[in-house]
Amino acid sequence: DPVAEIAMKAYEVKVKILELKKTLETERLNAIQWISEIEDPLIRTLVKYRCVDNLSWDEISNRIGYERTTCSKKYNEYMKSLGR
């Protein structure tokens, strides 16, 4: 029955999406935990805004009051120090 096959495929896709959402949420929580352990408050804020909140450098610089280039430079230097 073609309709039953489509329904089964739709169900399988839905289950896979739910599994992926669960995995993503776990990874997001792990990232937030890792970020919370960054000692430098400026770096911690930069990493959170960039990696968790997905803000642009312009948005980040507006929020924290530093120049855009300063924000990205500090972030990149920190990530480079981690080997990323």
Side-chain angles (χ1 to χ4, degrees), residues 19-30:
E19 289 171 359
L20 290 171
K21 281 183 177 181
K22 184 177 177 182
T23 300
L24 284 172
E25 181 60 15
T26 299
E27 291 301 319
R28 188 183 75 81
L29 293 173
N30 288 341

Side-chain angles (χ1 to χ4, degrees), residues 11-45:
Y11 175 77
E12 290 170 0
V13 168
K14 184 176 181 178
V15 168
K16 185 67 174 174
I17 289 171
L18 291 173
E19 289 171 359
L20 290 171
K21 281 183 177 181
K22 184 177 177 182
T23 300
L24 284 172
E25 181 60 15
T26 299
E27 291 301 319
R28 188 183 75 81
L29 293 173
N30 288 341
I32 290 170
Q33 177 62 39
W34 173 77
I35 290 167
S36 73
E37 296 171 2
I38 297 172
E39 290 184 25
D40 184 311
L42 174 60
I43 298 299
R44 185 173 50 247
T45 300

Side-chain angles (χ1 to χ4, degrees), residues 4 11 17 30 36 39 43 54-55 57 68 71 78 82:
Y11 175 77
I17 289 171
N30 288 341
S36 73
E39 290 184 25
I43 298 299
N54 296 312
L55 298 181
W57 288 119
R68 178 192 185 286
C71 293
Y78 180 72
L82 299 175

